[in-house]
Structure formats: C-alpha cells, structure tokens
Amino acid sequence: MEEIISQKNPIIPGRGVCDPHIHIFDGKIYLYTSHDANPDARGFIMHDWQIWSSPDAVKWTLESVVHPEDFFMGASDSCWAVDAAKRNGKYYFYFSDGSNRTGVAVSDNPCGPFKDALGKPLLDGTLTKTREYDPAVFEDDDGEFYLVFGGPEFCYGEGCGYYIARLNEDMISFAETPRKIELDHCGDDKASLNKFNGKYYLSYGGFYAVSDCVYGPYRFIGHTSSTIDHSSFCEWNGQIFQAITVKEQTEMYRSSGLCYVHLKDNGEIVTDQLIVEYGVGQYNSDWNRIEAEWYMKGENVKKKESKRLFGFLVTCTEKAVLSYPKFHNLSDKTGFSLDYFCKGGKAVIEVRIGSENGRLLGVINIENPADYYEWYCRRNDFFRFDDKLEDTADLYLVLKPEKGTELCVDFFHFIKDPIVE
C-alpha cells in the first residue's frame, strides 16, 4: 500500500485525488474520493475512485482503488462523486455514474472490496424525474440515515435541485419518496449534510445553509472561503474538520486538503486561511501566533466566540488537554508565551512535550484572576526553557482550573531570542 506524508495542503499532491468525503471509522480518518485522471483534459476524465486513510491526518495510505467495472456501470471515465457510511457492521459505498445515476455497494471493510448491492442503479432518474447523482449520506442523532443527491438548476435545467430521502435499515432502499430540499439560494455543486449544535448544515461547494429540520427549509448563510469545489465535514477528537477540494494544476485536475473550522454563535462557519494553506496536524514554531483553537485533539474543552477579539477562545471548567502534534523548527526556540483569560478562582497551565504527562517545559500559575474576562483583563505569561528542545515535538497544554473557574486560552507562540526583563 502506498504511503504519503503530507507537508501542507494539498495532502495528496499531484495525484488528482479530489472531491473528498471524510469519515471517522474505528478512530481512523478515511477519505473517499474521486480521481481526476488527466491534467491536460478539457473535461472531467475520472476512471475510478480511491480510498485513503490516516491515523493522524498527516501520514496517508492508499487503501484501495475502486473500479466501475465491478459495478453495474462497467468501464467508465465518469466516476463522479462518492460517499460512504457504516451501519450494523457493514460499510456502504454510494457512487455517481456521471451526472445521471447513483449506485450503492457494500463491504465488511471500510476499504472494500465492495460488491454491487443491487446490480442496478439505486437512483436512475425515475423517482424525481431529474438527474440523480452526487450522493451524500448523513446519519442523524436518532440513528436514521438520509441520502442527499442532485445538483442545481443552473447546471442541468428546471426541476433539478438537491433532494433528500430517508434510507431503510438495509441502506440500499428508501423508506420514503425523495423530496426536493427548499433552499433560498441558487446552489452550486455537490451537497453534503451535517449537524452542528442542533442545527442542520447543507453545504455545497464552499457555500452552506442552515435549518432546524433535516428536510429544510434551509436558510443561506455564506461561504467558507476554503474550497473551490466539493467539500465535507466531520467531528473528530473534539474538533471540526473540513475536507476541501484544492485547485492544484487546472480546474479539471484537482487535489484534496483538510482544515479546521469554527462555529460562531450565529451559526456562521469560520476558517483560518493559514490552516487552509498549511493543513492540519502539524505546526511551525516560527509562526508568530498559534491560535488555541487550532488544536488537533481537545479533551473537556469548548470553542467559544470572542466578539471583542473577533476570534475564538478555547475554554474549560475542569481539567482539559489540548494536543498540537508535530511542531517543527523548535531547536532554536528559547521560550514560550501564552495569552489567556480566567474568571473565578485559581488555575494552572502546564506546557509539556511528548504527551500530557511528558517533559514539562514550564508552568503558568494564575493566582489572581478577574471577575470578568476578555479585553481589559487578558493576560500574557512567558517562561524560558531550561534545556534545548529537539527540532520536532508534540506539544500539549494541560489546563487545570480550580472548581468554579472558567479558563480561556486565546493564543500562544514560541520565543527565539532571550527576553530582557
């Protein structure tokens, strides 16, 4: 199996791996992708699909190539968008036959081999009298699964749009007739469906809309400013990730990337352009500001919008751990600086490398917190390292607020030159 270690976005460069749908199965991250075959093509030439996996979102393994010859389609250069789901110990692979039909295959393994579950299309245009393609599967909180498919009218004419239907437990048939999703926007490209903070998010291209009901109506909110094309979201280790499509060479030869996203109080999705460029799961100690919300893993924390500071804070009221793996260029750094807020009692912040119980670089003791926080009472503390660091290490912030205390971390950075007090 081929392995690639990503340095920055795109995570799998120069391969035409695009239209990523991201899922977490058994603690591992999987990308189900389309595959642009020809960088010089004037149209989309897509002969197969690919499945990639990673334990850390940095080291990627090509698990399998899925061929249309194994399904009802036969050999094709129109292997359009794909998605996957797990239910009752089985894995279901939903695939597009160009811009017209959708099929479904099943396996005992997230990477296949997949067997055509029906030997014919699951969707062939007869249920909605439109083009039934570009599937996305969504699991709601109650365990019910829904399939979203279709595309905007401006692409394929009147009657087209995004459709949704609940799946039967067998995942290869529908429990209801698909209905058109009411959306106060013209749409864009393949749709995905997620649920954050009790709200349903319909995303398409880089645009997204929100509803209180899975069927809609969906109210247009905005654009994530992170992707040129198909994208998808998932929650993993206390963080929200977006899999994005990146234009690497041409619009017909694209790649995939990952970034973190954050939710404002009003439901807006916020991305950080530095992370859109560099990707997730690794950091550079030369950056002059590392936002606390860029953690790769967070335990017992919440991300909180800071309206005064036009950003986000990471907050906790009990012991919490933030993980920032693979910090590079550490060997010339001499200290560490952190900005925070604290409301209530005392708190301690430990800065460690290797693990949450690893080598202690320094401690910040918060003795006299304010009765309120943000803006006027934001504090900064720094300390020097006793010994030189290795050039690359995993960083951990261990947050220990006293009972009844809210501790908020804003950002931090590494210090290169000695500080003269």
Side-chain angles (χ1 to χ4, degrees):
M1 293 186 290
E2 180 183 4
E3 293 184 344
I4 291 177
I5 298 177
S6 65
Q7 301 299 317
K8 60 187 298 187
N9 281 335
I11 53 177
I12 305 162
R15 298 290 298 273
V17 177
C18 59
D19 299 340
H21 261 257
I22 183 174
H23 291 281
I24 308 300
F25 295 134
D26 300 322
K28 201 173 186 179
I29 191 168
Y30 290 86
L31 284 179
Y32 294 84
T33 70
S34 304
H35 180 208
D36 289 341
N38 186 352
D40 299 319
R42 294 186 178 182
F44 292 111
I45 307 298
M46 310 169 85
H47 298 299
D48 52 43
W49 302 277
Q50 295 186 358
I51 303 174
W52 293 77
S53 75
S54 176
D56 58 7
V58 175
K59 183 179 181 181
W60 292 93
T61 299
L62 176 59
E63 295 284 0
S64 62
V65 177
V66 182
H67 300 280
E69 294 93 325
D70 296 331
F71 307 144
F72 71 84
M73 287 173 59
S76 174
D77 61 3
S78 298
C79 296
W80 282 27
V82 66
D83 198 7
K86 179 182 180 181
R87 190 175 197 179
N88 297 331
K90 298 285 187 179
Y91 297 86
Y92 297 88
F93 185 86
Y94 300 88
F95 57 92
S96 291
D97 179 8
S99 62
N100 291 291
R101 304 184 295 178
T102 292
V104 57
V106 63
S107 175
D108 294 324
N109 187 289
C111 305
F114 287 95
K115 180 181 179 180
D116 195 325
L118 298 172
K120 62 180 181 178
L122 171 65
L123 293 164
D124 62 4
T126 59
L127 291 179
T128 65
K129 308 303 181 184
T130 62
R131 295 172 182 258
E132 298 175 344
Y133 70 107
D134 275 4
V137 64
F138 165 70
E139 181 182 7
D140 209 342
D141 297 336
D142 60 2
E144 295 289 352
F145 284 79
Y146 298 81
L147 197 70
V148 178
F149 58 90
E153 290 188 4
F154 69 78
C155 286
Y156 295 111
E158 186 177 354
C160 286
Y162 301 121
Y163 287 79
I164 185 172
R166 182 166 56 88
L167 289 159
N168 283 316
E169 190 167 346
D170 63 11
M171 298 292 282
I172 61 173
S173 63
F174 292 107
E176 59 187 359
T177 301
R179 64 185 78 179
K180 191 172 183 179
I181 294 175
E182 184 179 341
L183 171 66
D184 64 346
H185 187 249
C186 62
D188 183 13
D189 209 333
K190 180 186 187 300
S192 293
L193 189 60
N194 293 86
K195 193 174 186 179
F196 303 123
N197 296 337
K199 301 287 187 180
Y200 295 93
Y201 280 72
L202 181 73
S203 57
Y204 40 97
F207 298 102
Y208 63 99
V210 176
S211 176
D212 293 321
C213 176
V214 68
Y215 298 105
Y218 283 85
R219 176 175 59 89
F220 175 71
I221 300 295
H223 196 285
T224 64
S225 302
S226 57
T227 184
I228 64 164
D229 207 337
H230 299 194
S231 70
S232 62
F233 300 86
C234 81
E235 294 186 77
W236 190 32
N237 292 332
Q239 181 66 275
I240 303 176
F241 295 83
Q242 183 184 15
I244 60 178
T245 299
V246 180
K247 178 181 175 182
E248 190 172 6
Q249 295 187 32
T250 70
E251 291 185 2
M252 307 301 173
Y253 197 75
R254 302 155 296 159
S255 293
S256 299
L258 289 176
C259 65
Y260 314 114
V261 302
H262 323 295
L263 299 177
K264 297 176 70 172
D265 293 343
N266 64 2
E268 290 182 24
I269 294 175
V270 175
T271 58
D272 302 285
Q273 289 305 304
L274 183 67
I275 302 301
V276 171
E277 177 182 358
Y278 280 90
V280 305
Q282 51 190 331
Y283 306 83
N284 192 332
S285 67
D286 291 334
W287 294 345
N288 61 8
R289 181 178 174 122
I290 297 101
E291 299 292 345
E293 65 268 20
W294 294 348
Y295 59 84
M296 192 63 187
K297 183 177 182 179
E299 299 177 10
N300 297 326
V301 296
K302 293 182 179 180
K303 288 188 283 186
K304 180 178 181 179
E305 182 185 3
S306 171
K307 293 183 172 63
R308 286 182 178 270
L309 302 176
F310 305 102
F312 293 85
L313 304 171
V314 176
T315 75
C316 66
T317 56
E318 58 183 314
K319 180 185 174 183
V321 180
L322 298 172
S323 168
Y324 306 85
K326 297 179 177 62
F327 252 104
H328 300 294
N329 302 321
L330 288 170
S331 58
D332 62 349
K333 304 304 183 295
T334 58
F336 184 88
S337 175
L338 183 141
D339 277 47
Y340 63 89
F341 303 90
C342 191
K343 179 182 179 182
K346 301 177 182 179
V348 173
I349 301 175
E350 297 175 352
V351 183
R352 296 179 178 270
I353 58 173
S355 73
E356 64 176 282
N357 299 309
R359 176 184 166 187
L360 182 64
L361 298 184
V363 176
I364 295 172
N365 289 295
I366 304 169
E367 298 288 346
N368 298 300
D371 292 331
Y372 58 94
Y373 56 82
E374 293 197 22
W375 199 251
Y376 296 109
C377 59
R378 182 174 67 181
R379 298 183 178 183
N380 169 267
D381 278 312
F382 70 89
F383 54 80
R384 299 188 183 92
F385 304 141
D386 293 333
D387 299 300
K388 186 176 180 180
L389 304 182
E390 296 292 331
D391 199 55
T392 301
D394 299 338
L395 180 75
Y396 290 80
L397 300 184
V398 183
L399 313 178
K400 297 181 178 180
E402 190 179 72
K403 185 177 181 180
T405 300
E406 182 179 15
L407 177 60
C408 308
V409 180
D410 190 3
F411 67 92
F412 59 90
H413 68 274
F414 287 86
I415 299 167
K416 183 175 182 178
D417 298 318
I419 295 176
V420 177
E421 297 179 342

